[in-house]
Amino acid sequence: MDLHLSVSGALTCEMLIAAILDAFPQHEERVVHAIDAVDAAHPLACVLRAHSEAGISGRRFEIVPFERHFGHIPFAFSRTRPSWESVIEGLDASQIRRTVRTHATRICQLLAAAESKPAGANATGAADSTSWSAIAEIVGMAALIDALGPVRWTIAPLPFGAAAPTAAAILAYVCPPRVRGRPLPRMRTPALSGTGFGSPPAADSYLRLLCYDGASREFAAPDLSTQVAPPAAGGRGQRPAP
């Protein structure tokens, strides 16, 4: 299966998740389960709802903090932003599928590397995107990448800076820049499609996901299912998948 992304406006990770779940609603439980498995430090709630703007219908996905529903509890949760090293250690210790952990870890590494370049900091140092929402978005998207299996991705041209940092790292993972400029082949009518809308500050943006069955192999993005290597004997991450 080939997936093509076309963005209007700014792109956020929530829009990616929403568009994929609009096309593949059967994977919503897997996303929620994965996020629940890593939110012990700051409990979250996931909301997927139907949404329509300017005659276009789709979904909006939001990840909101515990306090949104139960109010602020002083000193209940740490306000210290963790380092990328501790985030990755937390993913490794979480009770989620090994393949989901692998996808999430590699996205985190890409984001850490991107954030370290302007300041010249070490990628394992404190990061601006290690907030509870960013980590939940990465894990939710990793669960979807795992659920979709061997697919190839293409992306319509994006204006520079149009993607939020977390979304940019995910795009770099599923469809590296070296394959984005290739022309699309002639394609049949999409087998499925989905639309994801942004939450503020991207409230006027949306993402269109087109899904093609058995399309041309001119879609040259990597098959991510081949990137997940089995863990070394006696190493970490050998818990059975739930």
Side-chain angles (χ1 to χ4, degrees):
M1 179 170 61
D2 297 308
L3 303 181
H4 181 68
L5 303 174
S6 180
V7 184
S8 175
L11 175 64
T12 65
C13 188
E14 289 177 333
M15 290 165 61
L16 278 166
I17 295 174
I20 296 172
L21 288 180
D22 190 38
F24 302 94
Q26 67 271 27
H27 296 320
E28 179 182 357
E29 185 176 347
R30 298 183 69 159
V31 172
V32 174
H33 171 79
I35 292 175
D36 283 346
V38 296
D39 69 1
H42 200 300
L44 309 172
C46 302
V47 180
L48 179 68
R49 57 169 60 95
H51 185 76
S52 180
E53 287 184 17
I56 302 172
S57 298
R59 301 275 179 166
R60 176 172 279 170
F61 184 80
E62 295 182 70
I63 302 173
V64 297
F66 178 89
E67 290 100 323
R68 177 77 64 87
H69 300 287
F70 299 97
H72 176 63
I73 304 175
F75 310 110
F77 309 109
S78 172
R79 301 295 173 181
T80 302
R81 184 157 288 179
S83 67
W84 279 115
E85 185 176 42
S86 64
V87 167
I88 292 172
E89 288 176 353
L91 288 172
D92 188 58
S94 63
Q95 297 296 317
I96 55 178
R97 293 173 60 92
R98 175 181 60 82
T99 46
V100 174
R101 291 200 306 274
T102 300
H103 291 312
T105 296
R106 291 178 176 171
I107 293 168
C108 285
Q109 290 169 340
L110 286 171
L111 186 51
E115 290 189 338
S116 70
K117 289 179 181 178
N122 188 301
T124 59
D128 291 337
S129 295
T130 53
S131 64
W132 54 265
S133 57
I135 302 309
E137 289 167 359
I138 289 170
V139 171
M141 190 63 196
L144 286 173
I145 293 171
D146 182 61
L148 291 172
V151 301
R152 287 178 170 79
W153 303 73
T154 54
I155 304 164
L158 278 172
F160 179 77
T166 305
I170 291 169
L171 295 184
Y173 180 58
V174 299
C175 188
R178 67 178 180 274
V179 302
R180 292 187 196 175
R182 300 187 181 184
L184 297 179
R186 294 181 180 178
M187 294 177 292
R188 301 180 299 275
T189 302
L192 290 170
S193 65
T195 303
F197 291 94
S199 300
D204 296 328
S205 303
Y206 67 90
L207 168 69
R208 187 73 169 159
L209 173 73
L210 303 177
C211 314
Y212 299 91
D213 285 331
S216 169
R217 285 192 175 274
E218 290 177 44
F219 280 99
D223 178 351
L224 295 179
S225 66
T226 65
Q227 296 188 22
V228 182
R236 304 173 79 179
Q238 296 191 56
R239 295 179 294 276

